[in-house]
């Protein structure tokens, strides 16, 4: 588990994550690609997250079980947060220097577009597998 501090582009939002799992996930779902313009690289940060400048964060409820947070000043995409558990999946790109990063999982592999692919060897889950496992999507 790594510990790291970061901020959005404009610096109004500062984030400290105490427990970052270096095995990160890539999500290919259409919601993530619409949100970010590309697949979403997410690191699991659990609930031990401190935020300064929270008043600058705008939350978008992208589903009934999770919201996406971004800086209302500069637009930096910050996290995907689960309502039930309060757990954060932070944007990996926020953190410049995490140790031992490993692409472990790719979500929604069946809707991954044909115009890109990653050479990394990872686990994958399809929409049906995710629905069966989590009982929900994106
Ligand atoms: Zn900002
Ligand atoms: Zn997604």
């Amino acid at each position: 588990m790594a510990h790291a501090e970061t901020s959005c582009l404009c610096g109004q939002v500062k984030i400290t994550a105490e427990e970052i799992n270096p095995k990160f996930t890539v999500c290919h779902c259409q919601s993530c690609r619409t949100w970010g313009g590309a697949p979403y690289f997410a690191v699991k940060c659990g609930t031990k997250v401190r935020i300064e400048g929270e008043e600058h964060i705008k939350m978008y409820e992208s589903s009934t079980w999770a919201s996406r947070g971004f800086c209302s000043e500069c637009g930096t995409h910050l996290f995907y947060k689960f309502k039930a558990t309060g757990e954060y999946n932070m944007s990996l790109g926020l953190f410049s220097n995490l140790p031992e990063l490993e692409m472990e999982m790719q979500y929604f592999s069946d809707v991954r577009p044909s115009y890109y692919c990653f050479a990394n060897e990872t686990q994958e889950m399809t929409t049906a597998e995710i629905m069966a496992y989590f009982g929900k999507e994106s």
Side-chain angles (χ1 to χ4, degrees), residues 65-80:
W65 52 85
S67 296
R68 295 168 191 258
F70 60 96
C71 176
S72 59
E73 306 298 323
C74 68
T76 299
H77 295 167
L78 302 168
F79 54 76
Y80 182 94

Side-chain angles (χ1 to χ4, degrees), residues 32-100:
C32 284
R33 285 188 281 130
T34 299
W35 195 45
Y40 187 53
F41 283 36
V43 277
K44 295 188 196 85
C45 293
T47 56
K48 291 189 178 165
V49 172
R50 288 199 312 274
I51 296 175
E52 275 177 62
E54 199 150 18
E55 67 274 19
H56 299 289
I57 296 179
K58 178 125 169 86
M59 299 290 285
Y60 173 68
E61 190 177 311
S62 56
S63 66
T64 54
W65 52 85
S67 296
R68 295 168 191 258
F70 60 96
C71 176
S72 59
E73 306 298 323
C74 68
T76 299
H77 295 167
L78 302 168
F79 54 76
Y80 182 94
K81 185 181 184 185
F82 295 96
K83 288 185 192 174
T85 60
E87 291 174 327
Y88 289 89
N89 281 357
M90 291 280 171
S91 297
L92 174 59
L94 289 172
F95 302 98
S96 58
N97 208 11
L98 292 178
E100 295 172 24

Side-chain angles (χ1 to χ4, degrees), residues 27-32 40 68 108 138:
C27 187
H28 300 285
C29 84
Q30 186 61 56
S31 296
C32 284
Y40 187 53
R68 295 168 191 258
F108 296 94
S138 61

